[in-house]
Amino acid sequence: MFKKILIIDDDVEYSEELSEILRDNGHVVETIIFNRKNLDQFQPLKYDVIILDFKMPDITGVDILNRISLSGPRPMVFFISGRPFLEKLLSPDDLLSKVTEIIPKPFSIAEFLLKIDTLSG
Amino acid sequence: MSIRTKLTITFLVLALVPVFFVSTVTFARYENSFREARTAHLRHLAAVRAERIEHYFLDLKSNMTISQTLYNIRKNLPILSDSYAGPFSHGSIEAKKMLDEQLPFMQKAWGLIDIELFTKDGQWVYATDPKDYFKGYLKPVNGIQEKAFKEGKNGLYFSDIFIHKSRLRRPELLISAPEFDVHGGFIGVIVFEVDMRPLYALINDVTGLGRSGEVLVGKKLGHEVVFLTPLRNASNTDLNQKISLGGVLGGLVQEAVQGKTGFGKLTDYRGKEVIAAWQYIPILHWGLVAKMDVDEAFTDIIHLKKLVFIILGIILILVALIAFVMAESIARPIRRLSEGAKMIGKGKLDFKVGMEQKDEIGDLSRIFDKMSEDLKQVTASRDDLNREIAARKTAQEKMERVSKRYELLAMTAEELLYAPNPQKIIDSLCHNIMDHLDCQVFFNFLADEASKKLHLNACIGIFEEEKRSIEWLDYGQAVCGCVARDGRRSVVECVPGCDDQRVALVKSYGIKAYACHPIIGDDGQVLGALSFGTRNRERFSEEELSLMKVVSEQVAVAIMRLKFNQALEKSEGRLKAIMEAVPVGVTFSDDKTCRHVTGNAAALAQFEVSGQDNLSASSNDNEDPGRNIQYFKDGQQVSADQLPLERAVRENRTVEPMELEIVLKKGRRWFAMASGAPICDDKGRVLGGVAVTVDITDRKKNEEILKQAKEVVNRDKEALEALVMKSAEELVEAQVELERTKRLSDIGTLAATVAHELRNPLAAIHMASYNLYRKAKNPALEKHFHVIQNKVDESDQIINNLLFYSRMKPPQRQQIFLNDILEESIAAARSRSLKNKVHLVKNYEDEGRLLFLGDPVQLKEVFTNIINNAFDAVREVKGEVKISSNKDGPFLCVQVNDTGPGIDEKILERVFDPFFTTKAQGTGLGLTVCRQIVMAHGGKIEMTSKKDWGTTVTVLLPLGFKAHV
């Protein structure tokens, strides 16, 4: 079954490549670069899966995570980042519990596709 | 009259009256005594002069008496006068001869001009002066001499003073007296011719009489007074000037010649006022006057008077000045104080008198300043108070308005919370609010998710038919539609004058002002719209609008509540189904004491209780079947309050799974893995608890058997070895930890940043190559794709090593052949410097290819770094690189030697320090990472170098690690 996926990453080339792979696997993909100004437009409930980077031009993945409500239905969140030791940055428990999995860059594409297909939010 | 003038006058009077009094008295006394002294002086002068004149004439008189009795004259005068024998007769010559022998001497001795002798008939016969002789011998005398002869016949006679015409116009005087013979018969007259100049000099001496003073002598003659001496101040220097007795002029002389002696202030012969003393000389019947002009006599007094006036004037000015200054010094502060009082009266409280004086007035001014300062503070605090009262009044009014609003809101809120469905919520609300807002029309639309339209939920103020026509509204249709679409408030004022199409509907109801608020749920979703309209006004106030907003928020909350309730019911049903379906036992309690515990079907089966039984372990009720269950852990009985459910509730935390042995009432014994968790409300307060129990009886049994078997085999040897290994490992780790902390701060930040920055492009490369390969669908590309994948992985591993250096992950050890690693490193180094042909000598000890337990990627990193450095060292000098490896006791030893230019001794000390580099390109981390990795393997790295001979790097790796590490 196809999923609505949002990629939030400031690396445009990376986002394009990843979204192409995901689209070819039958998913609906949107890529958005958020900053302080347009953060209000972030509507987490529109998506099944959110792929999130940590470091972006003027905000961080944690800022995005704070926008996602812990109560009620919420999307799967994959925190994919080159930054090491991300678990420590998400130390407040409610942040960590919003994240489905933390995946370091670079990662195995096949494994990742399998995760999206099998895990359900 | 000002106080200054008053004080000035007072001071002047006080100072000047005594001065005037004293000076007047002193001056009067001085003037008197001065006048007396002047007068006394004149009197003394007059007396002395008169006495001198008297003496002079008394001397002449006594001389005359001597000559009267002289024998020579008595004898010879008759001879000369007797016979008219002529002067040349013998007798006459004889007589004359005799007389000449005596009389000229007498004449000289007595200072006389001449001594003359007359016959009894008045004929001149003899003179001591030889010039006179023979001229008038026996001639009768005339003029003055005749008078002197006539008077001299009868006795001693003093003639008037006259000016002798022939003898140098000298003032002269004649004294005559009769001569008698021895029988007393009259024989002639003797005459002395006296020079009056010595006497005049005496009389006219004006010493001590100043410029105007003089002494004069007068004689009474009939009714006139004749001045006998020349007058000092008269223009006419002739003798014998006259004034008449009883006349206005010369009063003094008139007094004196009439025989009076006295002194006083009178007018003199010139009619001028003088002071004088006068004296009568009886022997000559003369009057002598010594006088001085009053003007001159009292010049000193006049001068003194002037001086006194000048001094008085100066004193007056000085006193006036001092009085003014003193008066001013008193009056000025008083004036300043009064000015201050005036200023303060006008309300200028900042005024300061500010005087530094140390006296009472200064004190007064300071007290005054303090008073004004106090007054200022009092005034200021009063102003503050007034302001505060005004502010409070405003606040109170506002508060009353707000309070009324809140009352209304509270009422609506209450109704909203208890109303069973949205329709009723809105109905109850609108009546209250509309009255308050003076609104006649009210609409409420709610979003209908199925049709994606707005549905009219409630409205007031329009007819039923109209209601039907707006029952469904599209998003963006009319005002409410727009508000629901945009999620923003919309206020339309002055509706009648508005031509907007969206307002047309509202306008048709006769509404003048219209406000529509969106109803927004807490996730930002628009639930509907709430609008109010009035036919009475054209505007809403801010307060009214905010009230509407609050009401719409309340409505939103109520609607959300309803939605949540529905969702909750749904999820509760689902949970119940799950609970019944799962094969593990789930027990839960809704109270903190855990007295009432219920469970799902599995739990009831595990504990062998029926659905109505209470599963509580802590119940004290003996009749309760549930409490007869016993729990054991590691052979010890566990009390009820140590069970997972009770602990989770009590400690408010998740209880990790624990193994329990459970003995049931009926005697069945089974093993359970039990865990517990508290049920909390949103603030973390415990409401109850849940416990999960899994039956692990079978697994437990298997484990037990396995464990017993293992123990028998490995008991002695393995245990000892493991212990030794563990402590050795701990030692190394401690050392590594020590080293790591030293480097951590240097490298940590850099490594994390580099890792992130490199991993992002690596991920992109990875993706891109994946897509490339996928799209090309060309098997020939597969090889290249895998190269990219491998290199990406390798790069990732390098980054991992960098991170490992800073974060100290222990090496991921596996069995490797060190020589293989060396070959890989050489290949990597060669690929880096393909252009340089380096002469390489390998000297491997091939005993078991040097099997070693280590992290292959880390160690490859170490040797690649070292060999790279060696290649770089010989690049310029065409040298040689020698690599050798061998087993050296408990160590593996690898040496890399180059014949490059060598390293300076000072630099050699620092080559392992982080970020130290001599190369143009390089991070300065290579050798640091090498040492870090070698030390993490428990080994050692050393570098020796000699200038111009080359450098040797030695790596020692201990062999002591076992496979299970």
Side-chain angles (χ1 to χ4, degrees):
Chain A
M1 185 194 167
F2 78 88
K3 298 228 163 57
K4 281 161 83 179
I5 301 176
L6 174 66
I7 302 174
I8 305 174
D9 198 309
D10 63 325
D11 188 342
V12 179
E13 290 85 355
Y14 161 82
S15 299
E16 273 172 17
E17 298 290 343
L18 182 57
S19 59
E20 204 168 322
I21 293 167
L22 292 170
R23 277 199 197 100
D24 289 356
N25 273 274
H27 299 295
V28 178
V29 186
E30 224 179 308
T31 62
I32 303 178
I33 300 172
F34 281 113
N35 52 37
R36 280 195 201 289
K37 284 174 195 158
N38 65 0
L39 193 58
D40 289 347
Q41 295 166 16
F42 175 53
Q43 290 177 312
L45 291 174
K46 269 171 69 180
Y47 308 98
D48 300 308
V49 178
I50 293 175
I51 296 168
L52 190 57
D53 191 9
F54 178 75
K55 196 182 148 215
M56 275 164 280
D58 66 349
I59 58 166
T60 67
V62 174
D63 297 322
I64 305 264
L65 269 186
N66 281 329
R67 289 259 154 186
I68 298 173
S69 163
L70 194 58
S71 60
R74 62 173 196 271
M76 287 164 68
V77 177
F78 289 100
F79 220 127
I80 301 185
S81 175
R83 192 182 173 98
F85 315 109
L86 264 179
E87 292 87 336
K88 290 187 181 171
L89 292 168
L90 301 176
S91 50
D93 278 349
D94 58 337
L95 279 180
L96 201 56
S97 61
K98 285 177 191 172
V99 178
T100 310
E101 196 177 345
I102 296 170
I103 300 174
K105 279 181 186 175
F107 54 90
S108 162
I109 295 161
E111 270 176 43
F112 182 62
L113 288 172
L114 196 66
K115 271 176 195 160
I116 287 180
D117 285 336
T118 51
L119 293 174
S120 67
Chain B
M1 191 185 276
S2 75
I3 187 159
R4 189 177 62 191
T5 320
K6 275 183 195 165
L7 283 168
T8 311
I9 290 170
T10 309
F11 285 135
L12 274 176
V13 168
L14 280 175
L16 288 182
V17 166
V19 170
F20 270 119
F21 181 73
V22 169
S23 58
T24 310
V25 168
T26 313
F27 182 74
R29 284 189 59 135
Y30 178 78
E31 193 182 18
N32 278 341
S33 63
F34 188 81
R35 202 186 290 275
E36 274 169 21
R38 280 285 185 198
T39 316
H41 174 66
L42 287 176
R43 282 171 70 190
H44 172 72
L45 210 72
V48 168
R49 298 284 165 88
E51 200 182 302
R52 288 250 185 107
I53 292 166
E54 232 173 344
H55 270 133
Y56 188 77
F57 284 100
L58 280 176
D59 280 352
L60 284 176
K61 195 181 165 186
S62 64
N63 289 343
M64 186 54 88
T65 308
I66 291 167
S67 8
Q68 272 180 302
T69 55
L70 212 60
Y71 175 74
N72 197 349
I73 295 171
R74 280 186 181 178
K75 187 189 173 213
N76 291 313
L77 182 55
I79 297 167
L80 286 172
S81 55
D82 185 32
S83 60
Y84 291 89
F88 303 108
S89 66
H90 179 70
S92 294
I93 290 166
E94 277 296 313
K96 191 182 173 282
K97 219 179 204 173
M98 276 180 72
L99 284 171
D100 280 341
E101 277 175 14
Q102 193 174 18
L103 285 184
F105 294 105
M106 284 165 64
Q107 176 238 323
K108 268 177 196 162
W110 292 340
L112 299 173
I113 297 168
D114 203 2
I115 299 174
E116 289 171 272
L117 294 175
F118 294 89
T119 64
K120 55 183 175 186
D121 302 320
Q123 289 161 320
W124 181 84
V125 282
Y126 182 78
T128 50
D129 189 347
K131 282 183 276 176
D132 290 336
Y133 205 72
F134 302 121
K135 260 196 274 176
Y137 188 72
L138 286 184
K139 280 182 182 168
V141 290
N142 51 18
I144 298 164
Q145 283 178 324
E146 190 187 358
K147 191 174 182 197
F149 170 74
K150 279 178 181 166
E151 294 287 335
K153 272 196 318 192
N154 303 321
L156 187 63
Y157 165 73
F158 291 94
S159 78
D160 291 336
I161 296 159
F162 62 93
I163 304 297
H164 195 282
K165 283 173 182 126
S166 60
R167 289 197 176 110
L168 305 167
R169 298 187 58 80
R170 267 190 311 222
E172 285 177 13
L173 181 119
L174 296 180
I175 304 172
S176 57
E179 282 288 332
F180 298 100
D181 61 13
V182 284
H183 303 295
F186 177 65
I187 55 170
V189 169
I190 184 166
V191 173
F192 289 176
E193 196 174 348
V194 182
D195 186 351
M196 283 306 285
R197 280 181 305 177
L199 187 67
Y200 274 13
L202 182 71
I203 293 170
N204 286 344
D205 178 12
V206 292
T207 309
L209 285 171
R211 286 190 315 280
S212 64
E214 67 182 314
V215 176
L216 53 88
V217 176
K219 192 182 175 185
K220 190 183 162 195
L221 205 68
H223 287 290
E224 283 174 336
V225 176
V226 180
F227 290 106
L228 299 178
T229 52
L231 296 177
R232 188 182 183 189
N233 295 308
S235 53
N236 186 353
T237 55
D238 287 349
L239 284 176
N240 303 332
Q241 295 189 42
K242 291 169 188 167
I243 50 168
S244 55
L245 269 175
V248 186
L249 302 171
L252 303 162
V253 177
Q254 290 180 31
E255 291 277 315
V257 295
Q258 281 169 8
K260 287 177 189 165
T261 298
F263 61 89
K265 197 160 84 173
L266 286 168
T267 45
D268 70 349
Y269 55 94
R270 293 166 301 162
K272 218 162 175 200
E273 202 171 37
V274 295
I275 56 162
W278 54 91
Q279 187 125 15
Y280 181 65
I281 305 169
I283 182 174
L284 295 166
H285 307 294
W286 288 2
L288 181 141
V289 176
K291 65 157 177 101
M292 210 175 172
D293 283 6
V294 169
D295 287 347
E296 195 190 355
F298 297 133
T299 307
D300 287 350
I301 288 179
I302 290 161
H303 282 168
L304 185 67
K305 210 181 245 171
K306 275 184 195 164
L307 193 67
V308 166
F309 276 122
I310 287 169
I311 289 169
L312 270 179
I314 289 168
I315 289 174
L316 182 70
I317 289 165
L318 280 177
V319 167
L321 206 66
I322 291 165
F324 179 79
V325 168
M326 277 190 70
E328 180 66 14
S329 79
I330 294 168
R332 198 173 59 87
I334 292 170
R335 220 166 40 231
R336 188 119 167 96
L337 280 170
S338 83
E339 194 184 323
K342 231 182 270 169
M343 297 289 265
I344 286 164
K346 283 180 192 165
K348 290 181 184 168
L349 297 178
D350 289 328
F351 182 83
K352 287 273 175 293
V353 181
M355 267 183 282
E356 300 298 321
Q357 274 169 265
K358 295 276 185 259
D359 55 9
E360 288 83 348
I361 289 175
D363 289 346
L364 182 61
S365 79
R366 279 184 285 281
I367 290 166
F368 184 87
D369 281 350
K370 193 172 178 300
M371 183 196 80
S372 68
E373 183 66 29
D374 292 349
L375 196 61
K376 188 179 164 189
Q377 279 171 8
V378 170
T379 312
S381 61
R382 194 194 59 201
D383 289 352
D384 287 347
L385 204 62
N386 285 344
R387 269 198 295 283
E388 202 174 315
I389 289 168
R392 280 195 186 176
K393 254 183 204 161
T394 318
Q396 198 181 343
E397 282 165 16
K398 205 168 168 188
M399 205 118 107
E400 276 166 13
R401 279 205 304 277
V402 170
S403 139
K404 198 174 167 194
R405 220 177 93 187
Y406 279 131
E407 216 170 281
L408 196 64
L409 285 175
M411 205 165 73
T412 57
E414 199 180 326
E415 285 175 20
L416 280 169
L417 283 173
Y418 293 109
N421 66 53
Q423 175 74 47
K424 281 193 178 166
I425 293 174
I426 312 300
D427 277 350
S428 66
L429 180 136
C430 58
H431 284 294
N432 294 327
I433 299 301
M434 283 175 66
D435 285 352
H436 182 72
L437 291 180
D438 185 26
C439 286
Q440 291 78 40
V441 184
F442 160 82
F443 299 104
N444 168 236
F445 286 93
L446 288 183
D448 189 87
E449 283 176 22
S451 62
K452 303 271 181 197
K453 278 187 172 183
L454 293 168
H455 178 246
L456 180 65
N457 182 49
C459 75
I460 282 178
I462 60 167
F463 299 114
E464 280 301 312
E465 305 88 76
E466 287 168 333
K467 230 185 235 186
R468 239 169 270 138
S469 70
I470 56 167
E471 192 172 352
W472 291 97
L473 216 57
D474 286 329
Y475 281 94
Q477 186 186 351
V479 179
C480 288
C482 294
V483 168
R485 182 190 59 194
D486 302 335
R488 286 201 196 100
R489 184 183 82 175
S490 177
V491 181
V492 189
E493 292 173 334
C494 309
V495 173
C498 181
D499 289 335
D500 196 309
Q501 196 55 44
R502 288 169 294 190
V503 190
L505 187 68
V506 182
K507 201 172 175 180
S508 69
Y509 303 142
I511 292 166
K512 287 182 179 167
Y514 188 69
C516 186
H517 283 83
I519 302 170
I520 298 172
D522 38 357
D523 58 352
Q525 199 183 343
V526 177
L527 301 173
L530 193 66
S531 56
F532 295 91
T534 177
R535 294 191 176 102
N536 296 342
R537 296 170 289 155
E538 292 200 333
R539 289 187 199 289
F540 290 114
S541 71
E542 270 308 310
E543 215 170 307
E544 286 168 336
L545 287 172
S546 74
L547 179 59
M548 291 178 197
K549 182 167 180 278
V550 174
V551 169
S552 64
E553 279 162 6
Q554 282 186 347
V555 170
V557 168
I559 292 171
M560 286 302 286
R561 184 176 66 86
L562 273 176
K563 279 192 168 181
F564 282 137
N565 275 348
Q566 286 161 6
L568 199 65
E569 275 167 24
K570 219 162 140 189
S571 82
E572 243 174 38
R574 198 159 40 182
L575 188 67
K576 216 167 188 176
I578 292 169
M579 289 267 281
E580 293 308 317
V582 292
V584 295
V586 179
T587 56
F588 48 89
S589 167
D590 285 340
D591 67 301
K592 286 206 263 184
T593 56
C594 298
R595 285 185 188 277
H596 298 280
V597 180
T598 52
N600 65 353
L604 295 177
Q606 279 174 352
F607 290 95
E608 295 180 353
V609 288
S610 69
Q612 285 76 36
D613 288 330
N614 190 342
L615 283 163
S616 173
S618 55
S619 170
N620 289 327
D621 187 357
N622 282 337
E623 295 304 307
D624 195 320
R627 69 170 300 284
N628 284 332
I629 301 168
Q630 288 175 306
Y631 302 88
F632 297 91
K633 190 187 177 196
D634 301 332
Q636 300 286 318
Q637 184 158 7
V638 179
S639 62
D641 60 345
Q642 288 301 312
L643 294 173
L645 178 63
E646 281 76 1
R647 271 179 60 196
V649 171
R650 194 175 59 243
E651 296 167 14
N652 189 13
R653 64 178 183 85
T654 307
V655 177
E656 295 297 314
M658 60 196 275
E659 275 184 24
L660 287 174
E661 190 179 355
I662 301 169
V663 180
L664 298 178
K665 191 168 81 176
K666 286 175 184 167
R668 188 169 76 85
R669 177 186 283 265
W670 59 287
F671 289 95
M673 182 66 89
S675 56
I679 300 170
C680 299
D681 63 8
D682 54 352
K683 284 175 183 151
R685 286 181 299 222
V686 180
L687 300 172
V690 62
V692 176
T693 46
V694 182
D695 193 337
I696 55 163
T697 312
D698 294 341
R699 203 186 82 194
K700 193 76 185 164
K701 276 178 188 162
N702 293 341
E703 268 180 20
E704 202 67 30
I705 294 161
L706 204 66
K707 196 178 161 192
Q708 280 168 10
K710 259 190 182 171
E711 270 178 15
V712 173
V713 178
N714 293 329
R715 193 172 295 153
D716 299 325
K717 190 181 139 198
E718 286 292 302
L720 196 65
E721 221 171 58
L723 203 67
V724 171
M725 282 313 297
K726 206 180 167 196
S727 54
E729 203 180 319
E730 274 168 7
L731 209 63
V732 170
E733 264 172 17
Q735 195 187 352
V736 164
E737 177 66 22
L738 206 68
E739 197 64 24
R740 186 190 71 87
T741 43
K742 268 162 68 183
R743 299 284 181 266
L744 188 68
S745 55
D746 299 335
I747 309 298
T749 316
L750 178 79
T753 312
V754 168
H756 180 237
E757 295 303 324
L758 279 180
R759 277 170 165 173
N760 276 334
L762 280 179
I765 291 167
H766 185 57
M767 295 286 167
S769 64
Y770 181 86
N771 278 337
L772 201 66
Y773 173 59
R774 208 161 47 88
K775 284 180 185 169
K777 293 190 176 73
N778 186 350
L781 290 178
E782 191 176 0
K783 190 180 128 203
H784 304 300
F785 171 61
H786 282 300
V787 170
I788 294 173
Q789 302 289 315
N790 285 341
K791 290 297 156 190
V792 166
D793 290 342
E794 213 175 305
S795 305
D796 189 31
Q797 184 61 40
I798 291 169
I799 293 162
N800 272 342
N801 288 345
L802 203 65
L803 290 171
F804 148 72
Y805 165 73
S806 59
R807 301 281 173 154
M808 207 55 203
K809 254 186 336 190
Q812 291 158 21
R813 290 179 190 270
Q814 61 189 73
Q815 287 203 341
I816 50 166
F817 294 104
L818 201 63
N819 289 347
D820 291 359
I821 301 283
L822 283 174
E823 278 303 317
E824 273 179 45
S825 301
I826 290 164
R830 269 198 195 284
S831 70
R832 214 176 124 261
S833 51
L834 275 177
K835 289 173 189 168
N836 300 295
K837 294 285 173 203
V838 176
H839 183 62
L840 187 68
V841 178
K842 297 179 201 170
N843 185 11
Y844 297 157
E845 184 183 324
D846 212 2
E847 191 187 325
R849 289 159 74 203
L850 295 181
L851 184 67
F852 180 67
L853 273 173
D855 190 323
V857 184
Q858 286 184 8
L859 288 174
K860 187 184 164 190
E861 185 73 12
V862 171
F863 294 119
T864 310
N865 266 311
I866 295 170
I867 295 165
N868 268 337
N869 285 346
F871 279 22
D872 287 346
V874 298
R875 180 180 298 168
E876 308 285 336
V877 296
K878 305 261 176 211
E880 182 184 75
V881 173
K882 197 161 84 186
I883 299 170
S884 61
S885 66
N886 62 296
K887 208 176 208 167
D888 185 5
F891 291 101
L892 284 182
C893 175
V894 179
Q895 276 200 323
V896 178
N897 176 273
D898 67 69
T899 57
I903 298 168
D904 202 319
E905 215 174 279
K906 280 178 193 164
I907 294 172
L908 197 62
E909 288 171 12
R910 299 176 55 198
V911 290
F912 292 106
D913 287 352
F915 308 109
F916 179 79
T917 180
T918 57
K919 298 176 186 173
Q921 291 176 323
T923 58
L925 262 179
L927 285 173
T928 314
V929 170
C930 286
R931 186 168 69 164
Q932 210 59 40
I933 292 169
V934 171
M935 289 174 91
H937 282 81
K940 252 165 79 177
I941 184 163
E942 279 173 6
M943 182 181 268
T944 55
S945 183
K946 203 174 170 190
K947 204 80 187 152
D948 300 322
W949 280 87
T951 307
T952 303
V953 180
T954 309
V955 177
L956 289 172
L957 294 166
L959 286 162
F961 283 87
K962 292 289 176 186
H964 71 267
V965 174

